[in-house]
Each structure stands twice: as C-alpha cells, then as structure tokens.
Amino acid sequence: MVSSGKSAWIIPHAVLLLGLGLVLVLFPVYVAFVASSLPLQDILDAPMTLVPGPDLLANYRDALALGTAGTNGQRRGDDAEQPRHGARHRHR
C-alpha cells in the first residue's frame, strides 16, 4: 500500500539524512585507517591514495614498540631529504 500524504516523504528523507551523517562521520575514520597503512612519503604526497597500503602491520608494530619517539615527520638516516622550497620551518 502506497500512501500519498505529506508524511510519506519523512521516512525516506530521514534514512537519506542518516546515511549522509554516517558517511560524514566515518569517512575521516577510514582516511585515518588508510593513512596508518601507508609509508610516510605516500601520506605526504598529494593526493593521498584511498586504498590501504602494505605497511599496516609494520606501522602498528612500530607504533606499539616505539610510541611517539621519532614521529616528527622527518626521515632518519642517509635518505633524509632537504626541505622543499617554500616549506615552513620553526626556529627556536
């Protein structure tokens, strides 16, 4: 049975608004999950991919083992790059 009253549009619109709200809340969570599975250089490249990467377990292992030590976004070792032209730097 199809109703043709004014209240017939409320339920479909409520479902659509609820779905939109879920997308707006869950999309940033998904992006954070994808970023946690990528190497640092892939995260810094624009635009970042929305496909999970191969480093999920290694990144989680390092996060649990090292904590926040060495998470300033700079590379360690011989492969460190010079800052890009126009990049902002803090001077202490």
Side-chain angles (χ1 to χ4, degrees), residues 38-79:
L38 295 172
L40 178 61
Q41 191 57 41
D42 289 350
I43 296 169
L44 297 176
D45 287 342
M48 186 181 85
T49 181
L50 293 178
V51 178
D55 293 343
L56 179 71
L57 295 177
N59 288 344
Y60 281 24
R61 182 190 66 238
D62 290 346
L64 291 173
L66 302 175
T68 58
T71 58
N72 60 1
Q74 295 178 355
R75 291 183 174 190
R76 289 174 267 176
D78 295 334
D79 61 343

Side-chain angles (χ1 to χ4, degrees), residues 4-56:
S4 61
K6 287 185 177 183
S7 64
W9 62 272
I10 291 176
I11 293 176
H13 281 78
V15 170
L16 288 172
L17 287 173
L18 181 64
L20 177 64
L22 284 174
V23 167
L24 290 175
V25 169
L26 294 179
F27 182 70
V29 174
Y30 176 74
V31 171
F33 171 74
V34 169
S36 73
S37 70
L38 295 172
L40 178 61
Q41 191 57 41
D42 289 350
I43 296 169
L44 297 176
D45 287 342
M48 186 181 85
T49 181
L50 293 178
V51 178
D55 293 343
L56 179 71

